[in-house]
Amino acid sequence: MSKIVPVGVSARHIHLTQEDIETLFGQGYKLTEFKPLSQPGQFAANETVVVKGTKGQFDKVRILGPARPASQLEISRTDAFAIGVKAPVRESGRIDGTPGITIQGPAGEVQLEQGVIVAARHIHFHTSDAEQWGIKDQQLLKVRLGGERGLTFDNVIARVSESFALDMHIDTDEANAAGAKTGDTAEIVE
Amino acid sequence: MSKIVPVGVSARHIHLTQEDIETLFGQGYKLTEFKPLSQPGQFAANETVVVKGTKGQFDKVRILGPARPASQLEISRTDAFAIGVKAPVRESGRIDGTPGITIQGPAGEVQLEQGVIVAARHIHFHTSDAEQWGIKDQQLLKVRLGGERGLTFDNVIARVSESFALDMHIDTDEANAAGAKTGDTAEIVE
């Protein structure tokens, strides 16, 4: 039985705490939804921020909502070189010891102490998908993308939850190296 | 016997005809060498140009010398999206039907009619390396890069010549997707 998963390409984006949202956009400010994402309850917000590294900045970084317990900027390695921040490859939420960054919004600025990562490629599995395919949470998978720039990624992290929808998340460097786009499919080969 | 090759990461760069060099830098102008490249006789020039797409521009694109029979801009897919040019994945020199671009130098401007590509990943083999490993010119190889972001690339083109030195060339998207840098090694696995 082929294990086929849809691919979603993550452009640079930021998650913010409610406190940081209020510093950046004003007291009591709530994010507004631009469009829903593949994971239930998650959305791209209308709001964007400026992020400033030592060598450059990005002017319109999309905020993903809802608010989270810790602010986190997810960029590609290409982005990291471009703005001059040494972001390590990390699973979302594992930000101990990662570098910080300056975030600017219309109402103020936040000096993030840590939270800049290059997101480790991963697949979200609903518990039922994972059970059907015999895949465990945190298992490292090999996943093939086909086509002209076909390749097989090692170390794709399985993340299993009742609240997840089946979706493989790669960043823009990975998508561009594979010639892939959101809506393509990939095959778990090992 | 393991088939191990050194990896070279190609940042965006441009090759120019002598005619285009003179339009951009002045009549009779000759490129000057900044540093030699891995392939014998090839060099990074001190000179850079501006390239302008429909959505953006790159201000300092390095020229690689010596002058060539056709001008050719090699960018990553990330770059292609950034400046708004639909560059296809192509082997160097195969530029029929590719898009053009505006190039600006200190002495003038060139409207390139065609020549913007995303370089297809490839390995340069000296004829003796290829013979030793039973690899033919234009053969498509699978090549593995290890590490945290380890992956295996399909469709790596073998290019064999007496004038080549053993080196695998990938672009910045591919290097960043693999967490690789110039000087790393890769293994031909198939």
Side-chain angles (χ1 to χ4, degrees):
Chain A
M1 180 178 50
S2 292
K3 300 169 185 169
I4 304 293
V5 296
V7 172
V9 180
S10 301
R12 73 180 78 100
H13 63 270
I14 194 164
H15 303 279
L16 294 170
T17 63
Q18 182 56 33
E19 186 187 347
D20 287 347
I21 291 167
E22 297 193 18
T23 305
L24 295 164
F25 292 91
Q27 205 180 350
Y29 194 90
K30 302 284 183 201
L31 294 177
T32 60
E33 182 167 330
F34 168 58
K35 62 176 183 183
L37 300 176
S38 67
Q39 297 308 308
Q42 305 292 304
F43 61 90
N46 289 300
E47 292 80 5
T48 62
V49 290
V50 179
V51 300
K52 293 180 168 184
T54 57
K55 283 176 56 185
Q57 66 180 50
F58 295 120
D59 289 334
K60 288 193 170 184
V61 176
R62 180 75 58 186
I63 304 172
L64 302 192
R68 288 204 179 178
S71 292
Q72 173 177 298
L73 174 66
E74 299 182 37
I75 57 178
S76 71
R77 200 159 171 255
T78 294
D79 291 340
F81 287 124
I83 62 170
V85 56
K86 288 184 195 301
V89 176
R90 287 288 180 90
E91 194 178 343
S92 183
R94 305 202 167 172
I95 59 171
D96 275 8
T98 60
I101 197 106
T102 303
I103 311 169
Q104 219 172 43
E109 194 170 286
V110 168
Q111 287 290 343
L112 205 63
E113 291 301 314
Q114 60 176 21
V116 184
I117 65 169
V118 174
R121 49 200 176 221
H122 59 278
I123 300 176
H124 293 271
F125 295 89
H126 185 269
T127 314
S128 61
D129 302 317
E131 278 173 3
Q132 181 189 7
W133 288 342
I135 288 166
K136 305 290 179 202
D137 189 48
Q138 296 296 313
Q139 189 176 336
L140 297 179
L141 305 169
K142 291 194 182 190
V143 181
R144 181 165 193 284
L145 279 78
E148 177 180 46
R149 285 195 137 186
L151 55 73
T152 303
F153 288 120
D154 299 350
N155 300 333
V156 179
I157 303 171
R159 298 179 58 190
V160 179
S161 164
E162 289 288 349
S163 67
F164 287 161
L166 185 66
D167 209 19
M168 176 175 187
H169 288 177
I170 58 177
D171 71 13
T172 49
D173 286 340
E174 294 167 326
N176 288 333
K181 59 186 187 307
T182 293
D184 288 355
T185 56
E187 182 177 9
I188 301 168
V189 291
E190 201 179 305
Chain B
M1 177 181 53
S2 292
K3 299 168 186 171
I4 305 293
V5 296
V7 172
V9 180
S10 300
R12 74 180 77 102
H13 64 270
I14 194 164
H15 303 279
L16 293 170
T17 62
Q18 182 57 32
E19 186 187 346
D20 287 346
I21 291 168
E22 297 194 18
T23 304
L24 294 163
F25 292 91
Q27 205 181 350
Y29 195 88
K30 301 285 183 198
L31 294 177
T32 61
E33 182 167 330
F34 169 57
K35 62 176 181 182
L37 300 176
S38 66
Q39 296 309 308
Q42 305 292 305
F43 61 90
N46 289 299
E47 293 80 5
T48 62
V49 289
V50 179
V51 299
K52 294 181 169 183
T54 57
K55 285 176 55 184
Q57 67 180 52
F58 295 120
D59 288 335
K60 287 192 172 187
V61 176
R62 181 74 59 187
I63 304 172
L64 301 192
R68 287 203 179 180
S71 293
Q72 172 178 298
L73 174 66
E74 298 182 38
I75 57 178
S76 71
R77 201 159 169 255
T78 294
D79 291 340
F81 287 124
I83 63 170
V85 56
K86 289 184 194 304
V89 176
R90 287 288 181 90
E91 194 177 341
S92 182
R94 304 201 168 173
I95 58 171
D96 276 6
T98 60
I101 197 104
T102 302
I103 312 168
Q104 218 172 43
E109 195 171 284
V110 168
Q111 287 290 344
L112 205 62
E113 290 301 313
Q114 60 176 21
V116 184
I117 65 169
V118 174
R121 48 202 177 220
H122 59 277
I123 300 176
H124 293 270
F125 295 89
H126 186 267
T127 313
S128 61
D129 302 315
E131 278 174 2
Q132 181 189 8
W133 288 342
I135 287 166
K136 305 290 177 199
D137 189 48
Q138 295 296 315
Q139 188 175 340
L140 296 179
L141 306 169
K142 290 193 183 191
V143 181
R144 181 165 192 284
L145 280 77
E148 177 180 44
R149 287 196 135 186
L151 55 73
T152 303
F153 288 120
D154 300 350
N155 299 335
V156 179
I157 303 171
R159 298 178 57 189
V160 180
S161 164
E162 288 288 348
S163 67
F164 287 160
L166 185 66
D167 208 19
M168 176 176 186
H169 288 177
I170 57 178
D171 71 14
T172 49
D173 286 339
E174 294 167 325
N176 289 332
K181 58 185 189 310
T182 293
D184 288 354
T185 55
E187 183 179 6
I188 300 168
V189 291
E190 199 179 306

